[in-house]
Amino acid sequence: MRFDRHTVVLLVRPDDAPDLPPDALDRIQDAHLAHQAGLVEQGAVLAAGPFLDGDDERIRGFAVLSVDPQMARELYANDPAVRAGHLVAQVSSWMVPEGQVRFEQVPVPRSMLEAAAGD
């Protein structure tokens, strides 16, 4: 059997995340979304999004990438939310049977305002 190999990133809120005012958190979130959208446009991120209603609220988001794990680490080290200490990127390889998962190019939000406009 053949397998497709992808890199996945779990975005996790660290226990020692800085306590920031809401306006700073909003700016970081918008910058994070813009960064993520840029990675999608570059073809590095195939799919990404937040987790909701999870058993572990520290696990905030998930991304599937087309790049190797080391490149994923480098890309997410530049994520504004990671740089601010608000999130930590945990990187792993993920294997699935060949062709089991397919990704389509779709627009992604570059800000919270843009994400909210879809409601």
Side-chain angles (χ1 to χ4, degrees):
M1 178 175 277
R2 293 177 185 230
F3 289 87
D4 289 330
R5 186 174 182 158
H6 302 285
T7 299
V8 297
V9 172
L10 281 178
L11 293 170
V12 179
R13 172 120 355 108
D15 292 334
D16 62 348
D19 189 22
L20 300 171
D23 62 322
L25 289 172
D26 289 346
R27 284 192 304 274
I28 289 169
Q29 183 65 17
D30 278 349
H32 162 72
L33 290 174
H35 179 262
Q36 189 102 293
L39 296 178
V40 169
E41 290 166 1
Q42 294 171 23
V45 169
L46 301 171
F51 285 120
L52 305 173
D53 305 322
D55 291 336
D56 185 344
E57 290 185 6
R58 294 173 301 155
I59 302 173
R60 307 301 294 171
F62 175 78
V64 180
L65 289 86
S66 64
V67 299
D68 64 67
Q70 184 55 40
M71 178 58 72
R73 286 181 187 92
E74 292 173 19
L75 294 172
Y76 276 88
N78 289 317
D79 185 299
V82 172
R83 285 196 330 253
H86 190 65
L87 295 173
V88 172
Q90 296 179 351
V91 179
S92 297
S93 292
W94 180 47
M95 291 177 39
V96 294
E98 186 177 54
Q100 185 178 37
V101 179
R102 299 196 194 291
F103 300 96
E104 300 290 330
Q105 290 214 342
V106 297
V108 297
R110 299 189 71 80
S111 68
M112 289 302 294
L113 182 63
E114 198 173 303
D119 290 342

